[in-house]
Amino acid sequence: MKKQAKKVVLALMASALMLATACGSNAGTNSGTGTNTGTNSGGGDKPITLRMSWWGSETRHEYTKKVIDLYKTKNPNVTIEVEYANYDDYWKKIAPQAAANELPDIMQIDTGYYAQYAGKDQLADLTPYFGKEIDVTNISENALNGGKLGDGVYGMNLGVNSLGFHYDPATLAKAGVDSIPENWSWDDYLSMAAKAKENGIYIDGGMRAEVFFGYYLRTVGKKLYNEAGNGLGYEDDQLFVDFFGKLADLVKSGAAPTPDTLAQIKGVEDDMTVKGTQVGVWQWSNQFVALQQAVNRPMKIASMLNPGAKEGLYLKPSMFFSISKNSKAKEEAAKFINFFVNDADANKLILGERGVPVSSVIKEELKPLLSPEQVQVFDYVAWSEENSSPMDPVDPIGAIEVFASLKSLTEQLNYGQISAEDAAKKFRSEAENVLKKNK
């Protein structure tokens, strides 16, 4: 039975990590057609149809459809047509809908794309619904402001995440390291990586450039973008060289895997943390439980690296639910968002998978139901609340192109095809060319 259960978990994780395309399906009474926005607003018993879209893993698809079914039992006049996919396919599908002014009534959106859609007047300001259709009594101002852009709030924060190092203590021991110090530093990290290499273990699979470079800049009082969002937020390219140079040296020395090695990972069964050949993964807190289930051994969360960890760390909205500016049923869409965020039964299905709930009441409701691994996540986010700094403004328009440039250049760096100094200069040139369009 244990073997079978593990296969099921691995299959679910493989679906998530391989980003297999998911097709829309029925939740409520109709399958999505992808051609219309909500109809017949006004509430009461009038039939109302909403379209709703999101990205995610099979696990997320399944529980989200159950939440919609639950909403349907309490609001039988409402039909919600669903459209979902993996992350990459999701945005390919959303882009033409946006061009045709046919965005879903409710759409999931992340910080990278947020300004692109909200800034181009495609999303509705949710502020008029706060305190009415959307109860914000138990939600902090900081959590609400995670979706603030200019004078409006165009996305409801669905949960908060915090960065950390998710690691397997058993593999750490195989790497010859007893434990990770509470306030560990870059020197500790590099020393551990060297020790792990001596024992044939990778320390990690690298750090996602667009996420962790931003963290590093914050630790030294800088930001990835300037306040206006029309240029980079740091002037000295040595910061780029210092950060990415360290990571490239780990690859070069064999302490971290090469891009070729990483390219061979096709699913969770190939993941090196799962196989016990890598100590851990740098990632967001809501990704911890799925990794632990795949590893199937006790895991821990270590904080971010010092110096400057408190300044660098921040609580990030995991994602938002937004309402299309063209929706004909904005009030009903807002009511569903309120249900998703504030209903206890709905959140017993969600269980914090989209990040630790923003409602203080829901957080308390869920605590008795959480697995030990979920408790670790909630505890880590609670610790982060006391050991972090306010989040930067949402990413500016063009952020996706900036991230693509950063990813491409750091891959070239890890292949040894470009020096850190040249990559820094090229990134500045490419990023500034994109961001200057916001002037």
Side-chain angles (χ1 to χ4, degrees), residues 105-288:
D105 300 277
I106 304 167
M107 63 177 285
Q108 185 172 293
I109 193 163
D110 74 0
T111 55
Y113 285 89
Y114 187 76
Q116 178 176 325
Y117 285 87
K120 293 185 177 178
D121 204 30
Q122 292 177 316
L123 304 179
D125 182 7
L126 300 186
T127 308
Y129 305 103
F130 289 163
K132 296 179 181 174
E133 288 81 4
I134 301 175
D135 182 3
V136 295
T137 306
N138 301 307
I139 301 173
S140 71
E141 196 73 18
N142 279 343
L144 286 177
N145 285 340
K148 192 173 180 64
L149 184 68
D151 295 329
V153 177
Y154 300 89
M156 184 68 210
N157 186 345
L158 298 183
V160 291
N161 284 329
S162 182
L163 288 171
F165 184 56
H166 303 172
Y167 70 99
D168 179 353
T171 306
L172 185 72
K174 279 169 53 183
V177 180
D178 293 333
S179 62
I180 294 179
E182 185 175 347
N183 294 308
W184 64 327
S185 66
W186 276 95
D187 287 343
D188 293 326
Y189 166 66
L190 296 174
S191 174
M192 285 181 199
K195 186 81 174 178
K197 176 188 170 284
E198 290 175 4
N199 290 285
I201 303 286
Y202 292 127
I203 186 69
D204 56 41
M207 298 185 188
R208 277 180 56 191
E210 75 277 15
V211 174
F212 291 94
F213 186 41
Y215 163 81
Y216 180 73
L217 290 171
R218 286 169 56 91
T219 67
V220 293
K222 301 293 182 181
K223 297 177 181 177
L224 185 54
Y225 305 107
N226 64 21
E227 290 295 326
N230 56 20
L232 293 176
Y234 65 98
E235 300 77 30
D236 187 354
D237 284 343
Q238 187 60 40
L239 294 171
F240 183 107
V241 174
D242 289 345
F243 179 73
F244 290 111
K246 286 188 185 80
L247 300 182
D249 285 346
L250 288 178
V251 175
K252 189 176 178 181
S253 71
T258 64
D260 284 337
T261 301
L262 293 173
Q264 294 172 18
I265 300 174
K266 304 301 182 186
V268 70
E269 66 274 12
D270 302 321
D271 185 277
M272 289 181 286
T273 306
V274 173
K275 294 167 75 173
T277 57
Q278 175 179 293
V279 174
V281 181
W282 296 96
Q283 59 182 3
W284 292 106
S285 52
N286 68 321
Q287 298 170 302
F288 176 76

Side-chain angles (χ1 to χ4, degrees), residues 254-381:
T258 64
D260 284 337
T261 301
L262 293 173
Q264 294 172 18
I265 300 174
K266 304 301 182 186
V268 70
E269 66 274 12
D270 302 321
D271 185 277
M272 289 181 286
T273 306
V274 173
K275 294 167 75 173
T277 57
Q278 175 179 293
V279 174
V281 181
W282 296 96
Q283 59 182 3
W284 292 106
S285 52
N286 68 321
Q287 298 170 302
F288 176 76
V289 173
L291 178 63
Q292 190 282 324
Q293 288 175 336
V295 170
N296 202 25
R297 296 183 293 276
M299 292 191 68
K300 291 186 175 180
I301 305 175
S303 60
M304 295 298 293
L305 299 172
N306 283 286
K310 185 169 183 176
E311 291 72 25
L313 193 62
Y314 59 95
L315 294 180
K316 175 183 176 291
S318 59
M319 58 199 77
F320 305 100
F321 269 163
S322 294
I323 299 176
S324 167
K325 186 78 176 287
N326 292 322
S327 172
K328 298 172 184 174
K330 293 187 181 67
E331 290 183 4
E332 196 60 44
K335 288 177 187 174
F336 177 81
I337 291 174
N338 175 67
F339 179 78
F340 202 92
V341 172
N342 286 310
D343 187 88
D345 290 334
N347 277 279
K348 287 173 185 174
L349 295 169
I350 301 167
L351 285 175
E353 194 277 333
R354 279 177 164 93
V356 173
V358 291
S359 164
S360 57
V361 170
I362 293 299
K363 270 194 287 193
E364 291 303 313
E365 288 267 1
L366 293 187
K367 280 184 179 176
L369 307 175
L370 300 178
S371 68
E373 293 74 29
Q374 290 167 327
V375 170
Q376 280 183 267
V377 173
F378 275 52
D379 287 347
Y380 184 70
V381 170

Side-chain angles (χ1 to χ4, degrees), residues 24 32-37 51-54 81-85 89-108 116-117 121-123 324-327:
T33 61
T35 58
N36 240 326
T37 54
R51 279 175 54 217
M52 175 177 164
S53 66
W54 69 88
E81 299 175 344
V82 300
E83 302 166 21
Y84 52 87
D89 288 341
Y90 179 79
W91 295 108
K92 291 174 186 173
K93 189 173 182 179
I94 285 292
Q97 293 180 2
N101 290 322
E102 290 183 350
L103 285 175
D105 300 277
I106 304 167
M107 63 177 285
Q108 185 172 293
Q116 178 176 325
Y117 285 87
D121 204 30
Q122 292 177 316
L123 304 179
S324 167
K325 186 78 176 287
N326 292 322
S327 172

